Amino acid sequence: MSKGVTKQRDDFSRWYTDVVQKAELADYGPVKGTMVIRPYGYAIWEAIQGGLDGLFKATGHVNAYFPMFIPESFLKKEADHVEGFAPEVAVVTHAGGKELEEPLVVRPTSETIIWHMYKKWISSYRDLPLLINQWANVVRWEMRTRLFLRTTEFLWQEGHTAHATPEEAEEETQRMLNVYKTFAEEWMAMPVITGRKSESEKFAGAVATYSIEAMMRDTRALQAGTSHNLGQNFAKAFDVTFQNQNNEPEFVYATSWGVSTRLIGGVIMTHGDDKGLILPPKVAPYQVVIIPIFRDSDQKKSVMAEVYKLTSGLRENGVRVKVDDDETSSPGFKFNEWEMRGVPVRIELGPKDVEKQQAVLVTRYNGEKSFLPLKGLAASMPDRLANVQQAIFDRALKFREDNTHHANSWEEFQSIISEKGGFIRAGWNGDAAVEEKIKEATKATVRNIPFDQPDDPGKCIFTGEPAKYEVIFAKSY
Amino acid sequence: MSKGVTKQRDDFSRWYTDVVQKAELADYGPVKGTMVIRPYGYAIWEAIQGGLDGLFKATGHVNAYFPMFIPESFLKKEADHVEGFAPEVAVVTHAGGKELEEPLVVRPTSETIIWHMYKKWISSYRDLPLLINQWANVVRWEMRTRLFLRTTEFLWQEGHTAHATPEEAEEETQRMLNVYKTFAEEWMAMPVITGRKSESEKFAGAVATYSIEAMMRDTRALQAGTSHNLGQNFAKAFDVTFQNQNNEPEFVYATSWGVSTRLIGGVIMTHGDDKGLILPPKVAPYQVVIIPIFRDSDQKKSVMAEVYKLTSGLRENGVRVKVDDDETSSPGFKFNEWEMRGVPVRIELGPKDVEKQQAVLVTRYNGEKSFLPLKGLAASMPDRLANVQQAIFDRALKFREDNTHHANSWEEFQSIISEKGGFIRAGWNGDAAVEEKIKEATKATVRNIPFDQPDDPGKCIFTGEPAKYEVIFAKSY
């Protein structure tokens, strides 16, 4: 089915869409802006869910589920929140054959309904902290959509926590940002920069928003996850107080944090090449694909016997393995097919290999081919996969470093953006009007204010005034 | 928080609601008929998901995700389907600040949108079978709702498969019904009767619907899962054909099957008693709860040292264990609390136990208390839990048998229904009008036509004519 994809350098955007469709990750749904996540794409999401869910639970969180329909009036209770989300909600006006008394909004995010419930559940400091996460679908009516990156309905997780002090809320906000960084870098092999979003880019209703920002292979930035310190804003909007240890009522402190199926877009655009997808072993549905090669039933018999032995050896070593024994397509077709689908390691096994008790092993990310003895191959695979995982992370990190520039003047800034792209580290005076002017002139925005700041942030790249921070500027998804 | 529940014999329905709320399984959402699944309830759902998902994958199925918004026109393409679901859908008419050109239905089930996509993906017999499952939320605008049993939004899984022959479709329909039976009986310890639904109770759009039916502790029936043979109905409605092996176009054969968060209601009502929930070990968030008992810091030190040792021993043996070391509530309060929450085994450990190197073990389902040496306790726990699992299944099976009656005359049928309740096995001539009359007279319906049929089904309980089948009549949820 796959006949190659557009080259990245010819049209990165088309390359992306080609890969998503030819690797059968996703397809367009019948309603504009909706997406069908196909089994191979969904298996990546399951691996992501499994990894993240484990990290959430290890940090003391539990899962729950809240209704997707929110009374329209709830959204209006927090002033910034309604301004941010009202323009993009989908609204249910009829149900059960009747017009509803109050229209229901399909959740664009669940702060309002969750804080409505927290009012019932929280009364004392002993009820805190409350550390809840939800895996769910949400809807945001976007005009310009792209598979995985921005769809009207998407899958995500949203953590919503309640705390007794502002310090604990801030600590939680940063803890979860670090969980996202760990997951992005160690599971997805996608290096990220952690930092605070500018005021104009923060979440509607937050006191502070932090993000992880990754560089895609076209050198544009992808905001891959956000963590918000909501202060007492939602507690005040929903009147959620607790008796503190001095027996005084106090508004509860909140955080929320989320990542979505957008992460799959991040994996594709961090590692992929002109042959298609390149998956990090930790989130790959299949880590190894075995292609048996034979011409007649005698050969088939001896080759398949080795294949089954190898397969069960790999499974015993905890490796996710697929045997492609479909006899209606050729080995060459299969090589392309599984390269398109980004399987980290391919093993080819034919009659001569059986004779020599060896196999051909091809590593997807660099195309390296080696002949290896069958003996010990299965046992060595976890280490090989760990090496692949590290190698593609290192490659992505080097790519980001090679495409990160420092600008010392506004002229230099403009020429970097128009000629090279990538991330620019430059000083900013912290003024939203300046941020807006830079965006208008170059389409680059402040991605975040990295935690990792130099001793002297230098001068504001636009005004020449002393800078408040060094920030990351980039064009983004 | 828990101050006991209404007694089952006093008011079973209130007992149920009390348990759901006091065990903190679920709460009412702000919109009528909606439900919040609280962390403890959701943890049961996660255990159910894990078990079922494993069984689905072991039978060759993969997961995917389809959009929740379905163009209203899709629903109308299958005549029976629209008749069945149109009255209970929720409809999005506005989104992104504008009225939509075509209203969107929030999925009540996904046959229509999935078969719209299958048309794009299926062209040859080589694309078949297609074995896809989806974990999702669905919406059915019900008037009379009850937590877990019937809520306007609920969580479920829906399998949707496509086949080349009617035989394969029928085989799949029955295979998945048997997966449900296995899961219900072996994980949930809930005995079920498999059989075919009557024509009037089958799924809107199906050729045949099969169900698993369980008996709750008030002797009413709960339909706990259904599996549908859809024939070519949806393939015809969405024009999905494939080239068969003779190179002729043919409509594809379909199945669908689903279970939902209703299963949690089934667990509660199959095993619970007047002290609250009784959870089968396999779906219990915590299989063992340890209550340390001490009066001063010296005692605390020695007791907690043993508790940690025991806890890590249990975890090494794959047991899910909770230590309740909250010092603000008494052991007695904790005993009630964890009995309410249905934890299968409680271990009490105090200073005297440490001295004697023993622990007190209390089994939730029968209240049996034993003193056991600490040595070997952790290693013996998996067997103890397996015994509990078997014992509560046996008890539920005996309860069902004790409350299953044979009726030989219409008078007897009526008196059983009004005086004893339970399941009645009786002959039926297969006529929908007779089924309706029995329902009007007694509120009992044909739950299903069990696969397990006697050689001679006897006479129709209502008309006295030769019966077509022996069926299960019961009042149901």
Side-chain angles (χ1 to χ4, degrees), chain B residues 372-393:
Chain B
L372 294 168
L374 280 169
K375 193 176 166 175
L377 182 56
S380 74
M381 197 52 72
D383 279 348
R384 287 177 195 280
L385 291 170
N387 291 342
V388 168
Q389 181 86 26
Q390 186 63 45
I392 65 171
F393 175 80

Side-chain angles (χ1 to χ4, degrees), chain A residues 387-423:
Chain A
N387 290 342
V388 168
Q389 182 85 27
Q390 187 63 46
I392 65 171
F393 174 80
D394 292 344
R395 184 164 82 171
L397 184 60
K398 181 171 186 307
F399 181 81
R400 186 185 79 189
E401 283 171 357
D402 289 348
N403 289 284
T404 297
H405 313 284
H406 283 263
N408 294 307
S409 71
W410 176 236
E411 289 64 39
E412 201 188 347
F413 185 101
Q414 286 175 297
S415 93
I416 294 170
I417 285 288
S418 63
E419 281 157 38
K420 299 181 185 164
F423 287 3

Side-chain angles (χ1 to χ4, degrees), chain B residues 209-461:
Chain B
T209 288
Y210 304 104
S211 73
I212 53 170
E213 304 279 339
M215 183 185 285
M216 303 296 97
R217 287 199 57 79
D218 63 349
T219 76
R220 288 169 74 172
L222 183 81
Q223 176 181 299
T226 48
S227 184
H228 317 292
N229 184 334
L230 303 173
Q232 294 174 310
N233 291 348
F234 285 89
K236 284 177 180 164
F238 288 86
D239 189 29
V240 188
T241 60
F242 69 105
Q243 295 293 120
N244 65 22
Q245 301 218 32
N246 304 324
N247 246 329
E248 292 152 351
E250 192 174 349
F251 284 113
V252 178
Y253 297 85
T255 86
S256 69
W257 27 275
V259 296
S260 72
T261 34
R262 170 172 253 221
L263 288 179
I264 298 174
V267 167
I268 299 166
M269 293 196 293
T270 298
H271 304 296
D273 65 13
D274 289 344
K275 289 181 176 175
L277 202 56
I278 294 178
L279 288 174
K282 280 200 185 179
V283 299
Y286 305 121
Q287 298 167 314
V288 173
V289 61
I290 304 180
I291 317 273
I293 298 167
F294 49 79
R295 287 170 196 273
D296 55 43
S297 64
D298 275 358
Q299 289 186 353
K300 177 175 173 180
K301 205 171 154 188
S302 73
V303 166
M304 291 310 292
E306 283 300 342
V307 165
Y308 292 135
K309 225 162 74 184
L310 180 58
T311 305
S312 72
L314 288 166
R315 293 207 171 117
E316 275 163 27
N317 280 280
V319 176
R320 295 189 289 273
V321 53
K322 162 86 181 173
V323 177
D324 187 350
D325 55 1
D326 175 5
E327 293 184 34
T328 66
S329 49
S330 70
F333 178 89
K334 291 177 186 176
F335 297 168
N336 291 337
E337 180 66 20
W338 293 107
E339 281 175 355
M340 177 68 71
R341 286 171 171 250
V343 177
V345 169
R346 175 174 85 229
I347 295 176
E348 307 164 11
L349 224 153
K352 283 190 186 159
D353 301 310
V354 174
E355 256 172 51
K356 297 186 194 165
Q357 281 295 294
Q358 67 173 24
V360 179
L361 186 144
V362 182
T363 321
R364 171 65 182 89
Y365 83 98
N366 59 0
E368 226 170 74
K369 192 167 180 166
S370 31
F371 295 83
L372 294 168
L374 280 169
K375 193 176 166 175
L377 182 56
S380 74
M381 197 52 72
D383 279 348
R384 287 177 195 280
L385 291 170
N387 291 342
V388 168
Q389 181 86 26
Q390 186 63 45
I392 65 171
F393 175 80
D394 292 344
R395 184 164 84 171
L397 185 60
K398 182 170 185 310
F399 181 82
R400 187 185 78 191
E401 283 170 357
D402 289 348
N403 289 284
T404 298
H405 313 284
H406 283 261
N408 295 307
S409 72
W410 176 235
E411 289 65 37
E412 200 186 345
F413 186 100
Q414 287 174 298
S415 92
I416 293 171
I417 285 288
S418 63
E419 282 158 36
K420 300 181 186 165
F423 287 4
I424 303 183
R425 278 187 176 259
W428 173 47
N429 67 357
D431 180 355
V434 166
E435 186 184 6
E436 185 59 30
K437 279 178 193 156
I438 294 175
K439 184 179 174 182
E440 275 169 25
T442 65
K443 289 186 181 155
T445 51
V446 175
R447 297 323 304 150
N448 68 23
I449 304 159
F451 291 140
D452 173 24
Q453 285 286 319
D455 291 338
D456 174 10
K459 289 180 181 166
C460 174
I461 193 69

Side-chain angles (χ1 to χ4, degrees), chain A residues 270-289:
Chain A
T270 298
H271 304 295
D273 66 14
D274 289 344
K275 289 180 174 175
L277 202 55
I278 294 177
L279 287 174
K282 282 200 183 177
V283 299
Y286 305 122
Q287 298 168 312
V288 172
V289 60

Side-chain angles (χ1 to χ4, degrees), chain B residues 85-106:
Chain B
F85 287 105
E88 54 185 41
V89 293
V91 186
V92 173
T93 54
H94 293 72
K98 288 183 189 165
E99 185 169 356
L100 297 169
E101 285 179 28
E102 181 179 0
L104 302 174
V105 157
V106 181

Side-chain angles (χ1 to χ4, degrees), chain B residues 45-322:
Chain B
W45 182 238
E46 286 180 298
I48 290 174
Q49 280 193 303
L52 276 172
D53 201 68
L55 294 174
F56 296 159
K57 284 175 176 155
T59 44
H61 301 83
V62 288
N63 290 324
Y65 188 79
F66 296 83
M68 119 176 105
F69 292 150
I70 302 177
E72 204 174 37
S73 56
F74 278 28
L75 215 61
K76 297 180 180 157
K77 293 194 179 184
E78 212 289 328
D80 290 333
H81 197 65
V82 66
E83 199 181 313
F85 287 105
E88 54 185 41
V89 293
V91 186
V92 173
T93 54
H94 293 72
K98 288 183 189 165
E99 185 169 356
L100 297 169
E101 285 179 28
E102 181 179 0
L104 302 174
V105 157
V106 181
R107 62 181 163 223
T109 179
S110 300
E111 278 78 6
T112 58
I113 197 160
I114 288 179
W115 281 86
H116 169 86
M117 297 308 299
Y118 281 5
K119 181 174 169 63
K120 294 174 72 173
W121 301 344
I122 297 172
S123 56
S124 147
Y125 67 91
R126 281 188 299 265
D127 301 321
L128 299 173
L130 191 53
L131 305 173
I132 290 182
N133 175 62
Q134 166 170 276
W135 292 95
N137 55 344
V138 287
V139 169
R140 296 179 187 177
W141 216 258
E142 305 271 4
M143 285 296 90
R144 290 171 45 223
T145 57
R146 194 179 287 189
L147 293 170
F148 291 119
L149 299 176
R150 188 173 277 110
T151 49
T152 52
E153 179 187 0
F154 56 93
L155 302 183
W156 80 342
Q157 62 66 218
E158 47 181 326
H160 295 272
T161 68
H163 305 268
T165 68
E167 294 76 19
E168 277 181 41
E170 179 62 20
E171 198 183 304
E172 168 78 3
T173 311
Q174 302 227 14
R175 179 184 301 117
M176 299 323 288
L177 189 75
N178 279 319
V179 162
Y180 289 156
K181 180 182 166 72
T182 300
F183 185 78
E185 300 196 331
E186 294 181 12
W187 268 256
M188 295 169 51
M190 180 174 79
V192 295
I193 294 171
T194 52
R196 187 160 60 80
K197 298 300 274 191
S198 67
E199 286 299 297
S200 66
E201 298 257 343
K202 77 180 186 191
F203 177 76
V207 169
T209 288
Y210 304 104
S211 73
I212 53 170
E213 304 279 339
M215 183 185 285
M216 303 296 97
R217 287 199 57 79
D218 63 349
T219 76
R220 288 169 74 172
L222 183 81
Q223 176 181 299
T226 48
S227 184
H228 317 292
N229 184 334
L230 303 173
Q232 294 174 310
N233 291 348
F234 285 89
K236 284 177 180 164
F238 288 86
D239 189 29
V240 188
T241 60
F242 69 105
Q243 295 293 120
N244 65 22
Q245 301 218 32
N246 304 324
N247 246 329
E248 292 152 351
E250 192 174 349
F251 284 113
V252 178
Y253 297 85
T255 86
S256 69
W257 27 275
V259 296
S260 72
T261 34
R262 170 172 253 221
L263 288 179
I264 298 174
V267 167
I268 299 166
M269 293 196 293
T270 298
H271 304 296
D273 65 13
D274 289 344
K275 289 181 176 175
L277 202 56
I278 294 178
L279 288 174
K282 280 200 185 179
V283 299
Y286 305 121
Q287 298 167 314
V288 173
V289 61
I290 304 180
I291 317 273
I293 298 167
F294 49 79
R295 287 170 196 273
D296 55 43
S297 64
D298 275 358
Q299 289 186 353
K300 177 175 173 180
K301 205 171 154 188
S302 73
V303 166
M304 291 310 292
E306 283 300 342
V307 165
Y308 292 135
K309 225 162 74 184
L310 180 58
T311 305
S312 72
L314 288 166
R315 293 207 171 117
E316 275 163 27
N317 280 280
V319 176
R320 295 189 289 273
V321 53
K322 162 86 181 173

Side-chain angles (χ1 to χ4, degrees), chain A residues 231-294:
Chain A
Q232 295 174 310
N233 291 348
F234 285 90
K236 285 178 180 166
F238 288 86
D239 189 29
V240 188
T241 59
F242 69 105
Q243 294 294 119
N244 66 22
Q245 301 218 30
N246 304 324
N247 246 328
E248 293 152 349
E250 192 174 349
F251 284 113
V252 178
Y253 297 86
T255 86
S256 69
W257 27 275
V259 298
S260 72
T261 34
R262 170 172 254 219
L263 287 179
I264 299 174
V267 167
I268 300 166
M269 293 196 292
T270 298
H271 304 295
D273 66 14
D274 289 344
K275 289 180 174 175
L277 202 55
I278 294 177
L279 287 174
K282 282 200 183 177
V283 299
Y286 305 122
Q287 298 168 312
V288 172
V289 60
I290 304 180
I291 316 273
I293 299 166
F294 49 80

